[in-house]
Amino acid sequence: MKKLLKIILWIILLLGIAFLLFEVSKSRNFQFFGGLVNKAETEDKVAAMTFDDGPGVNTDEILTILREEDVKATFYLTGKEIEHHMEDAKKIVGAGHEIGNHSYSHSRMVLKSPTFIKEEIEKTDDLIRQTGYEGEIHFRPPYGKKLFLLPYYLSKQERKTVLWNIEPESFPYIEGDADKITEYVAENIEPGSIILLHVMYESREESLKSVKKIIASLKEQGYQMTTVSDLLKHQK
């Protein structure tokens, strides 16, 4: 009986540890190593609009919107998509936007070997440099997932993990409606916010349509839209 009880307690303990690690892996404000950013600590009315994935079929359209609105944004691109759409990636750089590393294959960066993590990041860094981009390259993990090895690798390179604090597409009842996306961002914006959107693919038409509306709404509230690197210059 005592042996069975001990086994049960061990199972409960292991399940508890597994649950804790799962929560840490998706946390937006904690990781075991290195710098983690999900917003800038500032009282200035500034915010960063960030776009994950791509380059893709909507590159020209999103660049047109940002040019018309006189807004600079940060694009977290995957190495594989840069390879397939190098000219589109160069257009993003040529328009003066910031480029971040979003891994090569867009695989979850947990339970992966150090070699896998290193290759995913360094290969994408090299491709980003091939676009002509010369600025600092921040890293954003696919799906926001990180645990031990990824943050450790980034910390050794003195690189930040950049996440977000506003993600309207995470709600099924919001993601399919540009007006609801805009309303969600407008209601949850705060100084230093980092907004995450996906606009590069045909399936993200409503997200793409929301960009102009979001910019207009935030400008009405007195916000200036900028890149992540410029946003972090406003940190206290």
Side-chain angles (χ1 to χ4, degrees):
M1 186 67 180
K2 288 184 178 180
K3 185 176 181 180
L4 177 60
L5 180 59
K6 186 178 292 187
I7 291 173
I8 292 173
L9 290 175
W10 271 109
I11 291 173
I12 292 172
L13 177 62
L14 291 174
L15 288 174
I17 293 173
F19 176 77
L20 177 62
L21 292 178
F22 174 75
E23 290 299 310
V24 169
S25 75
K26 65 177 183 177
S27 173
R28 300 289 180 260
N29 50 32
F30 173 82
Q31 64 183 20
F32 288 109
F33 303 101
L36 173 66
V37 176
N38 68 353
K39 67 183 293 290
E41 295 303 323
T42 179
E43 295 178 0
D44 299 334
K45 298 189 80 171
V46 289
M49 185 167 285
T50 68
F51 304 108
D52 278 14
D53 305 341
V57 296
N58 289 332
T59 299
D60 286 341
E61 189 166 353
I62 184 61
L63 289 180
T64 297
I65 292 170
L66 295 174
R67 183 180 67 252
E68 291 175 348
E69 297 298 327
D70 192 25
V71 165
K72 292 295 186 285
T74 301
F75 290 78
Y76 288 94
L77 306 180
T78 63
K80 189 173 183 178
E81 294 291 349
I82 294 175
E83 276 187 335
H84 291 164
H85 305 283
M86 179 59 77
E87 292 308 310
D88 283 335
K90 289 180 178 179
K91 289 178 184 178
I92 295 172
V93 176
H97 299 290
E98 182 175 37
I99 305 296
N101 186 322
H102 198 41
S103 83
Y104 178 81
S105 65
H106 203 266
S107 300
R108 285 176 171 81
M109 305 286 271
V110 294
L111 304 179
K112 302 292 186 182
S113 70
T115 299
F116 178 87
I117 291 171
K118 182 175 185 290
E119 289 178 351
E120 284 276 312
I121 295 175
E122 292 188 358
K123 188 174 183 178
T124 304
D125 279 347
D126 289 342
L127 288 163
I128 290 173
R129 292 307 183 198
Q130 289 177 38
T131 69
Y133 181 70
E134 298 178 349
E136 182 179 2
I137 303 175
H138 297 301
F139 184 80
R140 172 173 283 173
Y143 310 102
K145 300 291 187 181
K146 70 275 179 299
L147 197 52
F148 298 115
L149 295 179
L150 173 62
Y152 179 75
Y153 172 85
L154 293 172
S155 70
K156 298 298 285 186
Q157 293 191 334
E158 298 184 349
R159 294 174 69 170
K160 296 180 179 68
T161 303
V162 178
L163 297 177
W164 56 86
N165 70 318
I166 297 182
E167 184 189 9
E169 299 162 328
S170 61
F171 303 96
Y173 60 92
I174 290 176
E175 66 172 348
D177 187 314
D179 290 331
K180 290 181 179 179
I181 292 172
T182 302
E183 182 180 353
Y184 179 87
V185 174
E187 290 179 350
N188 289 277
I189 196 70
E190 57 184 309
S193 284
I194 299 176
I195 304 161
L196 167 62
L197 289 171
H198 298 78
V199 300
M200 284 295 181
Y201 307 118
E202 291 178 348
S203 61
R204 295 293 190 170
E205 180 181 357
E206 291 300 310
S207 293
L208 182 64
K209 286 166 56 178
S210 75
V211 174
K212 187 181 285 284
K213 296 179 178 182
I214 289 171
I215 293 171
S217 175
L218 296 187
K219 284 182 176 179
E220 285 181 4
Q221 293 188 49
Y223 277 88
Q224 174 189 352
M225 308 301 294
T226 186
T227 65
V228 168
S229 288
D230 285 342
L231 181 74
L232 296 179
K233 294 176 182 178
H234 290 262
Q235 290 261 37
K236 290 181 179 179

